[in-house]
Amino acid sequence: MIRSLIALLTITFLAITSLKAKPNILLITVDDMSCDSVGVYGSKLADTSPHMDQLAKEGLRFSMAHVQVGNCFPSRNVMWSGRYSHNTGVEGFYHINPIDFPVMTDVMQKAGYYVAIRGKVTHSTPYNPFHWDEDLSVKEDGKTKEHIKDVESYGRSVSRGIANADKAGKPFCINVNISDPHKPFWKPNDPHAVTKIFSADEVPLPGFLPDDPAIREELALYYTSVRRADDAVGAILDALKKSGKEEETFVMFLSDHGMPLPFAKTQLYHHSTHTPLIVRWPGVTKADSVDSDHMVSAVDFLPTLCDVIGADKPEGMDGRSFASLLKGQKQKNRDFVFKMYNENSGGNRHPIRGLQSPDYLYLFNPWSDGENQFKTATMGTVTYRKMKELAE
């Protein structure tokens, strides 16, 4: 009887120890933000990102991280499948049913996690229906949705997700996808507040855009929306801190691709895919550290998370783990990234392939025949219309 009791207590202790050994996972993305809009990544405009900058000071930031795709639906599917677009079948804005490979939700749930999401629900897995334990985009009444531009709602969503994971007796894996600075940008008299508003005469002009008052006005709205995205990051991290689980939580932050203006979004240029990847893993990552030696990319995220939580990696993934880099170690063969683009949300197909190194980028446009015209969402911007007018 005593031996049985001791055995039972030992099993219970090991189970509890194992549960505590698994870090909680908080994955934060912003939508349509260029890497150099962030202060620690060289923003030429002061005060765009105080909370992102603070997170970087508390963790490790990668200076040569890239996403694979220049638009969000296929980009996010690469992140959470560990596979290139042509290997998931998700090359545009549609789902693949059924799939014969596990994705992040499957991996995390199998490992015992409570898996929740806020925002970009339909964009984040290749199949439907989705296997999330909870969609935090929907309010507690189960009917109405949180507004995608409401800063404080992101904090509420995270608090609720953490509380519900506690009720389930599981560690949490929460994927929070902030809408800003995706269009529509913040605008004057916007009901969804921002803590700082930038003016047209102070914003920096990307080298790929002409200097014109109308373009500067749109950039001012973009940078103000970047600041609102940063406000949301602050609300999320504050909710985590108030939960008391900050020291038990692995936090990863990035943008899904570059700014939603011509020559950035829906392209594969350096600034289209360069992402501000920041990781804070208490007790593992070194505070205010920078990795400038290794190229990592979105296809590596899921294999890395598998190592972080101690889960087996699904077979057939194209990416490889960079978990050892988080521990300050070195990896070989981290000197290039493959990139790809296929079509926009309207189904206009213009395949592009890219090979990115630290210093060079090779782009191949197989669709270019001298007649076919590239079509993309950025053609609806004030900036594109002004560029077209100036070109005349």
Side-chain angles (χ1 to χ4, degrees), residues 44-231:
K44 295 178 181 178
L45 181 62
D47 298 327
T48 56
S49 55
H51 295 105
M52 300 176 200
D53 294 348
Q54 181 60 35
L55 181 63
K57 290 178 182 177
E58 297 168 357
L60 165 68
R61 70 182 184 273
F62 288 86
S63 64
M64 296 192 295
H66 286 263
V67 295
Q68 257 67 43
V69 193
N71 55 351
C72 59
F73 199 122
S75 178
R76 293 168 188 275
N77 269 271
V78 173
M79 293 178 196
W80 312 131
S81 68
R83 299 163 194 263
Y84 294 128
S85 300
H86 51 273
N87 289 333
T88 64
V90 184
E91 296 185 345
F93 286 63
Y94 46 75
H95 295 117
I96 302 297
N97 289 304
I99 58 171
D100 58 2
F101 54 88
V103 293
M104 183 188 70
T105 47
D106 307 308
V107 171
M108 289 292 172
Q109 286 170 337
K110 184 178 179 181
Y113 279 77
Y114 186 86
V115 188
I117 188 170
R118 163 69 196 272
K120 293 293 178 182
V121 181
T122 61
H123 288 44
S124 299
T125 48
Y127 58 87
N128 187 25
F130 306 101
H131 295 174
W132 307 96
D133 291 310
E134 186 174 12
D135 177 6
L136 298 168
S137 312
V138 181
K139 294 181 181 180
E140 288 187 271
D141 62 12
K143 299 176 183 178
T144 56
K145 287 190 173 184
E146 297 281 12
H147 196 284
I148 60 175
K149 302 295 186 179
D150 179 13
V151 167
E152 296 306 320
S153 71
Y154 287 95
R156 290 196 299 269
S157 293
V158 169
S159 294
R160 195 173 99 220
I162 293 173
N164 288 340
D166 274 349
K167 290 177 185 176
K170 297 178 179 181
F172 62 79
C173 173
I174 301 178
N175 178 202
V176 191
N177 302 292
I178 300 165
S179 173
D180 279 313
H182 192 292
K183 291 176 72 68
F185 295 144
W186 174 91
K187 58 186 181 299
N189 302 314
D190 196 313
H192 303 290
V194 62
T195 53
K196 189 175 180 65
I197 298 169
F198 297 103
S199 62
D201 60 355
E202 66 179 321
V203 296
L205 198 76
F208 51 88
L209 296 178
D211 195 346
D212 181 90
I215 293 174
R216 285 186 170 276
E217 288 288 350
E218 188 161 48
L219 283 168
L221 301 182
Y222 162 76
Y223 277 107
T224 301
S225 299
V226 168
R227 178 60 183 245
R228 190 166 60 181
D230 186 79
D231 292 342

Side-chain angles (χ1 to χ4, degrees), residues 290-337:
V290 183
D291 187 313
S292 300
D293 299 323
H294 303 90
M295 295 197 75
V296 298
S297 64
V299 76
D300 302 321
F301 291 170
L302 185 55
T304 299
L305 290 175
C306 287
D307 279 351
V308 169
I309 68 171
D312 293 334
K313 298 182 185 70
E315 293 183 4
M317 289 194 296
D318 297 309
R320 66 184 178 111
S321 171
F322 56 81
S324 63
L325 301 183
L326 305 179
K327 302 173 183 178
Q329 299 171 13
K330 301 288 185 181
Q331 282 187 351
K332 293 182 179 180
N333 302 318
R334 284 280 182 194
D335 50 7
F336 64 88
V337 167

Side-chain angles (χ1 to χ4, degrees), residues 375-386:
K375 295 179 181 179
T376 175
T378 61
M379 294 171 71
T381 61
V382 170
T383 295
Y384 178 84
R385 292 194 294 271
K386 176 54 68 170

